């Protein structure tokens, strides 16, 4: 079965992926069809490497700025996963404070990515896919997860696809 990236590449689109967590390393087969698959993961112990959202957004923004025709970019952020260690400016108090701080940090970085693309004259269609973590959010069904995803996308994006 052809991947979306393979189909788009075959149709002449530029394709790239920018991932932030070890579960999506190229060595696991996720790079199929992408002209560029950036899985630079500098931080963390061996086998659990990751990259902070700021670096992932910067890499994706630079690539998007270089595109000349239709393009597909998969930008993946891994920050809201244990251990929860948001940058100090995003730290929050309370029992969910560290998790909420990381979600806020990623939200800020997504905003920077969208703003950078818009400044370069690139309008982005955005697909939001989240695994909200039932214990942290109370989201216990696919329908509730979709509703949460739609609220997030409506708040930040010109176009959303689900």
């Amino acid at each position: 079965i052809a991947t979306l990236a393979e189909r788009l590449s075959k149709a002449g689109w530029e394709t790239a992926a920018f991932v932030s967590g070890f579960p999506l390393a190229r060595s696991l087969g996720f790079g199929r069809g992408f002209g560029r698959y950036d899985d630079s993961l500098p931080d963390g112990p061996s086998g659990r490497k990751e990259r902070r959202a700021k670096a992932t957004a910067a890499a994706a923004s630079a690539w998007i700025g270089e595109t000349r025709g239709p393009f597909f970019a998969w930008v993946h952020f891994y920050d809201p996963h244990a251990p929860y260690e948001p940058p100090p400016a995003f730290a929050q108090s309370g029992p969910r404070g560290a998790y909420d701080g990381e979600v806020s940090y990623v939200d800020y970085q997504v905003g920077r990515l969208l703003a950078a693309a818009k400044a370069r004259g690139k309008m982005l269609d955005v697909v939001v896919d989240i695994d909200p973590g039932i214990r942290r959010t109370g989201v216990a069904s696919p329908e509730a997860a979709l509703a949460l995803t739609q609220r997030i996308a409506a708040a930040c994006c010109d176009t959303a696809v689900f």
Side-chain angles (χ1 to χ4, degrees):
I1 297 175
T3 66
L4 177 60
E6 288 171 324
R7 289 175 184 233
L8 291 173
S9 289
K10 187 175 181 179
W13 289 47
E14 295 178 64
T15 59
F18 302 87
V19 302
S20 299
F22 67 94
L24 298 174
R26 176 193 301 270
S27 62
L28 299 174
F30 289 100
R32 248 180 62 207
F34 288 100
R36 178 172 176 188
Y37 195 85
D38 183 344
D39 62 349
S40 305
L41 306 173
D43 302 320
S46 179
R48 291 196 54 86
K49 300 278 188 187
E50 63 184 84
R51 167 173 52 180
R52 297 302 302 243
K54 182 177 181 178
T56 302
S61 179
W63 181 84
I64 289 168
E66 297 168 1
T67 60
R68 297 291 172 247
F71 67 91
F72 171 67
W74 174 29
V75 185
H76 165 264
F77 298 106
Y78 194 72
D79 294 78
H81 286 80
Y84 304 116
E85 299 168 341
F90 295 90
Q92 298 181 27
S93 61
R96 293 173 22 140
Y99 172 77
D100 290 347
E102 287 208 344
V103 171
S104 294
Y105 169 64
V106 169
D107 178 65
Y108 177 77
Q109 296 305 327
V110 169
R112 288 182 65 236
L113 175 63
L114 294 172
K118 189 173 187 176
R120 291 184 170 107
K122 310 280 183 168
M123 296 307 295
L124 301 181
D125 290 332
V126 176
V127 177
V128 177
D129 176 31
I130 60 171
D131 171 7
I134 292 169
R135 288 179 295 159
R136 289 180 296 280
T137 64
V139 175
S141 71
E143 294 79 16
L146 177 59
L148 178 59
T149 303
Q150 289 171 328
R151 286 196 311 269
I152 292 168
C156 73
C157 309
D158 294 324
T159 304
V161 178
F162 300 95

